C-alpha cells in the first residue's frame, strides 16, 4: 500500500463527511478511484473508512455534536 493511496482514501472520506454524505465503502472506493475489495482487504484502509464512518454517525447525535 502506498502513501498516495492512503491520502486518496482519507481525502475521499473527508469529502463525504464535509458534504454530509454517508461514508460507505462503495462511496469511498468510487471517490478514491480504487476497488471496494482493496478497502476491505487492507487493514489500514479498512480502519480509516470505519473511523470516518463512526465519526459521521456521531455527528448526528447530541453527544457527537458536543465532542
Amino acid at each position: 500500500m502506498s502513501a498516495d493511496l492512503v491520502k486518496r482514501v482519507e481525502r475521499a472520506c473527508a469529502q463525504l463527511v464535509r458534504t454530509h454524505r454517508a461514508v460507505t465503502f462503495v462511496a469511498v472506493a468510487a471517490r478514491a478511484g480504487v476497488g471496494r475489495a482493496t478497502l476491505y482487504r487492507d487493514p489500514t484502509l479498512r480502519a480509516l473508512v470505519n473511523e470516518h464512518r463512526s465519526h459521521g454517525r456521531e455527528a448526528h447525535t447530541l453527544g457527537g455534536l458536543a465532542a
Side-chain angles (χ1 to χ4, degrees):
M1 171 189 51
S2 69
D4 177 57
L5 180 56
V6 173
K7 287 180 188 176
R8 286 178 18 216
V9 170
E10 175 71 38
R11 192 175 313 121
C13 290
Q15 288 173 347
L16 289 166
V17 170
R18 194 171 42 252
T19 58
H20 306 287
R21 296 197 186 333
V23 179
T24 65
F25 283 89
V26 173
V28 173
R31 283 188 183 252
V34 299
R36 187 175 37 126
T38 301
L39 299 177
Y40 280 116
R41 273 186 260 164
D42 187 286
T44 302
L45 298 177
R46 185 178 191 144
L48 188 61
V49 173
N50 281 327
E51 179 182 334
H52 279 86
R53 289 176 78 175
S54 66
H55 288 306
R57 270 187 246 124
E58 290 171 4
H60 299 291
T61 65
L62 290 176
L65 291 173

